[in-house]
Amino acid sequence: MEWKDMLGADVVAQLEENYREQEPVKGTKSERDFPPVCKIFLPWTSGTWLLSEMEPDGLAFGLADLGYPEMGYISMDEIWEVVGPGGLRVERDIHWKATKPLSEYATEARQHGYIRA
């Protein structure tokens, strides 16, 4: 899967580790509020995602902004299939580092109408 190369082995490993840790407590009071592991974006649009966990098959969870911010799941296979002008694909912001939990990014994004990261 080419999107794994785009994310990088260390990012994939952390996303999958967060998934394994979250799975037994999902939907309970013990559910974790991880900081996002990475920021990905479509360079020719405002499409942006902050991902905090991912199943081994590539179903990732995080905050998405495709015109309005919302929490949810994204298929990495599906987003990799999107090809923009000049063959551009989804990219990872290699310089971005999370400074707070995902819920704080979501609250801020709802207040401003877009992800500010």
Side-chain angles (χ1 to χ4, degrees), residues 67-101:
Y68 59 94
E70 64 180 333
M71 301 279 273
Y73 290 88
I74 177 179
S75 165
M76 292 304 298
D77 288 331
E78 287 180 15
I79 195 66
W80 186 255
E81 290 175 7
V82 177
V83 180
L88 291 172
R89 293 185 183 266
V90 65
E91 294 182 19
R92 184 180 125 215
D93 183 341
I94 61 172
H95 301 290
W96 184 83
K97 299 287 185 219
T99 59
K100 52 194 161 202

Side-chain angles (χ1 to χ4, degrees), residues 17-34:
E17 175 60 29
N18 288 357
Y19 166 77
R20 285 189 294 278
E21 186 177 326
Q22 188 79 287
E23 189 59 21
V25 296
K26 197 140 193 111
T28 72
K29 291 180 181 179
S30 300
E31 190 168 344
R32 296 283 313 273
D33 185 11
F34 294 110

